[in-house]
Amino acid sequence: MKFDDLGFEIQDGVAIITLNRPDKLNSFNNSMGSNLQTALDHCMENAEIRCVLLTGSGRGFCAGQDLEEAVSGVSEIEEHVENKYNPLVRKIRAIEKPVIAAVNGVAAGAGANLAYCCDIVLATESAKFIQSFVNIGLIPDTGGTFFLPRLVGIHRASVMMMLGEKVSAEEAKDLGLVYKVFPDGELMNGALELAKRMAQMPTRGIGLTKKALNYSLQNTLNEQLAVERDLQGMAGLTSDNAEGINAFLEKRKPVFKGE
Ligand code: T3D
C-alpha cells in the first residue's frame, strides 16, 4: 500500500500509519483524508495486522483541516464533515484491534480529536494539543464533543473548546488524555515497543473489549451487563482463551495467535 501523503508499513504485526504532509504540519487535505480511510480499511481487513500505530512526520502530528482547502457554506461543510472526518472516527472505533496514537508534535483541531478517539494516546514531551476550532469560528468535530467531555468532564472540555488554548503533553497526561509522555526523540521507540507487545496479545479478546467499551458510552448498566455476557461468550470460544488457561496451568508463557 503506497501513498504520497501517508506512510504505511507493517512491522511484526503492527501497521504504522504516518501522516505525511510535514510542511503543512500534516493538516488534512482531501487526498490525505481519503488515503487514511483506505489505510484504516486495510487494517480492519488484514488479519496479519494486530495493532495500528498512527503518527505524523516532521514536527507536527496533525494541524486538522488544511485551511487552504477549507470549505464553507452549509451543504459543503456538512458534506465534508460527513464524508471526510466522520468516517475516520467510525473506522478507528470499529477496528477490533488496538489503535495507538503517537503524538509527535502539535495536534490541533481535527488532529487533536483524531488522537482522542484512538484507544491509547502517547505523546512526545514537546507535543501540544489544541481545540483550535474556536480560533476560526468553528465548533469541534471529529468526535471531539463526544470524547472530550467523557475524558475530562464537561467543564474542562468547555474551557479547552471555548478558549482554544494550548495544552502541554504533561498537562494532557494529568487530565487522562495521554497514557505516557516520552522525552523528545524517544517517542517512536517507545510507541513501537508498546505496539509490538500489543500485537502479540489476544487480539480477538482486545477487539471484543473495545466493542464493549464502545457500547458502554451509550448503554445503561443493565444493557451493558448483557453486552458483557454476550461478548464474554464469544471471547470464551477463542483459541487464545484456551491457550491462556493452558499456559497458566502449565506454568509457561502463552503464545497468542489473535484468534
Ligand atoms: O472544513 C471543514 O471540513 C471543517 C472541518 C474542520 C476541522 C478542523 O480541523 S478546523 C481546525 C483547523 N486547524 C487549525 O485551525 C490550526 C491552524 N494552525 C495553527 O493554528 C498553527 O499552525 C499551529 C498552532 C497548529 C502550529 O503553530 P506553529 O507556529 O508551530 O506553526 P505554523 O508556522 O503556524 O505552521 C507551519 C506551517 O504549517 C505554515 O506554513 P508555511 O507558512 O511554513 O508555508 C502553516 O501555514 C502550515 N499550517 C499549519 N496548520 C495548517 C497549515 N496549513 C494549512 N492548514 C493548516 N491547518
Side-chain angles (χ1 to χ4, degrees):
M1 192 163 282
K2 209 162 165 41
F3 311 98
D4 287 342
D5 46 21
L6 198 73
F8 189 89
E9 61 169 310
I10 302 175
Q11 260 185 45
D12 300 332
V14 177
I16 306 165
I17 303 179
T18 308
L19 306 175
N20 189 27
R21 302 182 67 235
D23 294 350
K24 301 292 172 193
L25 298 180
N26 306 317
S27 57
F28 273 106
N29 61 5
N30 287 337
S31 162
M32 194 179 83
S34 121
N35 289 335
L36 181 55
Q37 289 192 32
T38 305
L40 291 170
D41 284 340
H42 185 69
C43 292
M44 205 168 315
E45 287 152 14
N46 183 342
E48 186 199 341
I49 296 168
R50 291 172 60 186
C51 183
V52 181
L53 181 59
L54 178 65
T55 191
S57 66
R59 72 175 179 90
F61 174 71
C62 175
Q65 169 63 34
D66 180 331
L67 295 178
E68 285 165 16
E69 257 194 23
V71 294
S72 60
V74 177
S75 56
E76 262 187 303
I77 206 159
E78 286 182 3
E79 195 267 340
H80 214 224
V81 170
E82 185 54 29
N83 295 321
K84 182 169 169 183
Y85 292 105
N86 289 354
L88 295 176
V89 180
R90 293 196 179 105
K91 286 176 198 291
I92 287 173
R93 294 315 307 165
I95 293 178
E96 291 187 18
K97 304 168 186 182
V99 180
I100 301 173
V103 179
N104 55 300
V106 68
N113 292 341
L114 191 71
Y116 299 147
C117 78
C118 293
D119 299 299
I120 296 178
V121 183
L122 308 174
T124 196
E125 208 169 10
S126 60
K128 301 271 184 286
F129 296 83
I130 317 171
Q131 288 295 305
S132 52
F133 306 87
V134 68
N135 301 331
I136 54 168
L138 289 181
I139 73 143
D141 58 20
T142 316
T145 60
F146 184 84
F147 289 104
L148 204 48
R150 285 168 171 78
L151 286 163
V152 300
I154 196 158
H155 281 161
R156 191 61 193 227
S158 304
V159 167
M160 290 170 71
M161 291 173 171
M162 292 181 185
L163 298 182
E165 294 171 345
K166 289 182 183 164
V167 173
S168 71
E170 276 303 333
E171 204 182 339
K173 182 166 169 263
D174 292 344
L175 287 167
L177 293 168
V178 165
Y179 167 50
K180 270 187 185 162
V181 175
F182 291 84
D184 287 343
E186 293 176 24
L187 172 69
M188 269 320 275
N189 279 345
L192 260 176
E193 192 181 314
L194 177 66
K196 286 183 182 179
R197 172 153 69 92
M198 293 195 83
Q200 299 301 311
M201 291 174 71
T203 312
R204 188 83 184 104
I206 291 178
L208 292 169
T209 300
K210 181 166 174 175
K211 212 168 182 173
L213 288 170
N214 284 342
Y215 280 119
S216 81
L217 295 169
Q218 62 200 32
N219 272 352
T220 62
L221 173 61
N222 271 336
E223 288 167 339
Q224 194 62 18
L225 289 173
V227 164
E228 288 180 2
R229 175 199 61 214
D230 294 348
L231 297 183
Q232 193 69 295
M234 292 165 80
L237 292 175
T238 61
S239 63
D240 282 343
N241 174 235
E243 168 64 5
I245 294 172
N246 287 337
F248 176 78
L249 297 176
E250 292 161 14
K251 300 192 186 304
R252 61 172 173 81
K253 260 186 92 173
V255 181
F256 295 119
K257 293 189 177 143
E259 295 161 2

